Amino acid sequence: MRRETPPLPKDGIYRTILWALVATVIGGALIALGGDLVLHDPAVNRFGAITALIGAGLYVFFRFLGAREAKRHAEGKDGPDRL
């Protein structure tokens, strides 16, 4: 029984996830700046900063997963013995 392999870094879904995370980081940074400079509201500032930090953490995590999968694919471990 062959399992589906995770998406490689060149796959469209993987790139879409990364771009969505980049947009999340940028959006969170803009919300944080707007909360600080325009609204002068620390709650909005904190929300934007936390959103940007979570998006950045997920971006790093997905980059790690993609690099690991690309390395596994390059080593030729995509055979039928791989679970």
Side-chain angles (χ1 to χ4, degrees), residues 31-49:
I31 290 171
L33 286 173
D36 189 35
L37 300 175
V38 177
L39 300 175
H40 305 292
D41 188 358
V44 175
N45 184 4
R46 250 180 279 142
F47 173 75

Side-chain angles (χ1 to χ4, degrees), residues 7-10 14 18 60-72:
L8 289 171
K10 294 180 182 178
Y14 180 78
L18 289 180
V60 169
F61 177 70
F62 272 92
R63 291 294 294 203
F64 169 75
L65 288 179
R68 188 177 71 171
E69 188 61 29
K71 180 181 174 188
R72 190 178 293 163

Side-chain angles (χ1 to χ4, degrees), residues 2-42:
R2 185 179 168 123
R3 287 178 53 180
E4 295 278 332
T5 60
L8 289 171
K10 294 180 182 178
D11 287 345
I13 187 68
Y14 180 78
R15 287 187 192 174
T16 303
I17 290 169
L18 289 180
W19 278 111
L21 290 172
V22 167
T24 301
V25 171
I26 292 170
L30 290 175
I31 290 171
L33 286 173
D36 189 35
L37 300 175
V38 177
L39 300 175
H40 305 292
D41 188 358

